[in-house]
Amino acid sequence: CGGGTHHSFHDHGSGFTIFNDLAVTARDLVHSGAARKVVVFDLDVHQGDGTAKIFEHDPQVVTVSFHCRSNFPFQKQRSD
């Protein structure tokens, strides 16, 4: 998937995005039975903070983010 949409949270947009297509896709894969577990492997200069927050308590979706430390978003979310 393309980058950037990983900043949108479940209840608000962030980082110039309003729709987190990665979160919608991951949730659909699990709920439809197409996958038992999904790993979102995010390689972007910015943390996928919205995706991390959306799935922070969901054991069926693992989020891994490689990003720079001192940039947007300045408040990082907990990622797996």
Side-chain angles (χ1 to χ4, degrees):
C1 289
T5 63
H6 58 188
H7 295 302
S8 294
F9 289 74
H10 75 280
D11 60 351
H12 68 278
S14 179
F16 302 108
T17 66
I18 59 170
F19 184 75
N20 192 321
D21 58 349
L22 294 170
V24 171
T25 301
R27 183 86 66 212
D28 184 61
L29 287 169
V30 171
H31 286 191
S32 71
R36 286 181 287 172
K37 190 166 224 167
V38 172
V39 176
V40 177
F41 197 69
D42 194 326
L43 300 173
D44 186 280
V45 70
H46 305 109
Q47 183 199 31
D49 56 328
T51 307
K53 184 68 176 174
I54 290 168
F55 295 115
E56 72 178 335
H57 300 295
D58 188 337
Q60 293 177 302
V61 180
V62 175
T63 61
V64 179
S65 183
F66 285 86
H67 53 273
C68 293
R69 183 181 316 171
S70 300
N71 65 0
F72 180 85
F74 295 104
Q75 181 179 342
K76 307 294 190 221
Q77 299 297 319
R78 184 168 179 255
S79 192
D80 298 308

